[in-house]
Amino acid sequence: MAGQVLGGLGVPISIALAPVLATEVSGTEALSGFASTASVIGTALVSLPLAALMTARGRRPGLVLAYAIGAVGAGLVVLAATVRSFPLLLLGMAAFGAASSANLQARFAAADLAAPDRRARAISLVVWSSTLGAVLGPNLSAPASRSFAGTSIPETAGPFVWAAVVFVLTGALIAVLLRPDPLLTARALAAPEERTREGHSIRAGIAAVRASPRARLALLTVAVSHTTMVSIMVMTPVDLGHHGAGLELVGLVISGHIAGMFAFSPLMGWLADRLGRLTVIGLATGLLSVAALLAGTAGPSHGRSALGLFLLGLGWSAGMVAGSALLTDSVPQAARAAVQGLSDLTMNTAAGVGGAAAGVIMSQAGYGWLNAVGASLLLPMAALALFTARRHPADPKGVSG
């Protein structure tokens, strides 16, 4: 949880300015979404290698390595901004995404030793731990930028210097304090038949998802919730800029969005444990739909945009907590690390495509149409949730639907 406080600070302190920095370096707004997209793709690319490392060595070495790669990526972004190299910027943002992968994977460390009827709450508490840093981060973007005024480092790259320092500190904290390793401990406590090396492979994880309808729903839920959120969020600073918002206002709106993502996650965990995973997945669908409606029709109303982005974060929280808990419930213990890595690969690949498309849709059709497209992604998730509720109302472990 302490690591998540720091890790939750490192990403948003700089990600709010990523589209602005991409526009400055590339010289065109049409490419503004590619910086955030590169970060999402980097998060996806590291997901399976990170899962494989955790499967072999435990949570601790995987998380430490991911934060180290993120720190290197932040340094490359600063260099790219200094020399005005867009390809180097994309490379740095891809490596920067490894820190996001570590932040995401940390939620599964909370589930390793949790009882099934408290698993969603355990996940949600680690997600909630990101709140302080995540809300504070975007508001530090402006001071971090001004701290490099008058130097050779462009002001919009200043937050990435701060992020690199945060990632180093977070990795050190995890390396020293995450003991004993929760995944290795859970494996040692597992039944003998679940300790086979074959059960820990990525192939076994894919087979476990294919064998479980509820696991497939969980995978789709985290992918769609994350893609809808990322696609709309990454273009919101650009839209706010079109309507006269400055960096401070952009930071406040993004802070409200991140508060929705993290601050209410314990409530989502409690609801998922008490009312069932599928009920909270339905709640996520409703919240994300209303968010897209509000943000897409806000125009110059910054208050309406802020409310839409807050609900967008709240819907993401519901989908992420309930989907992650359902995924863990639905597969054998031996396959969980592999399945969790596959889940993060799927959701971040989908979000990477969505983020790339967001810049094009924004430049060609506008922010309103971008929100409409984001809302349309929720239809298959809602349909599969209803189908699963009818055909598979309870999972084998007895966690209610």
Side-chain angles (χ1 to χ4, degrees), residues 18 34 49 63 89 100 227 247:
F34 279 81
L63 294 176
L89 175 67
S100 295
T227 302
L247 285 179

Side-chain angles (χ1 to χ4, degrees), residues 130-234:
S130 303
T131 305
L132 177 61
V135 173
L136 185 62
N139 292 292
L140 291 178
S141 295
S145 297
R146 289 193 294 267
S147 68
F148 289 92
T151 70
S152 59
I153 297 176
E155 290 190 25
T156 47
F160 287 90
V161 179
W162 287 33
V165 175
V166 168
F167 293 154
V168 170
L169 293 175
T170 307
L173 185 69
I174 294 294
V176 173
L177 297 183
L178 190 63
R179 300 171 185 274
D181 191 285
L183 179 59
L184 299 183
T185 304
R187 191 173 297 162
L189 295 173
E193 61 270 18
E194 293 191 338
R195 299 178 190 173
T196 60
R197 292 183 61 85
E198 292 79 8
H200 299 156
S201 68
I202 297 299
R203 180 177 297 179
I206 295 172
V209 171
R210 293 180 62 183
S212 171
R214 293 169 70 86
R216 294 196 294 271
L217 170 62
L219 205 65
L220 182 66
T221 296
V222 295
V224 169
S225 299
H226 196 58
T227 302
T228 301
M229 184 275 291
V230 169
S231 300
I232 296 173
M233 183 271 292
V234 296

Side-chain angles (χ1 to χ4, degrees), residues 369-381:
W369 277 104
L370 171 63
N371 280 268
V373 171
S376 70
L377 298 177
L378 301 169
L379 294 175
M381 182 177 101

Side-chain angles (χ1 to χ4, degrees), residues 32-44:
S32 59
F34 279 81
S36 297
T37 299
S39 176
V40 173
I41 290 174
T43 304

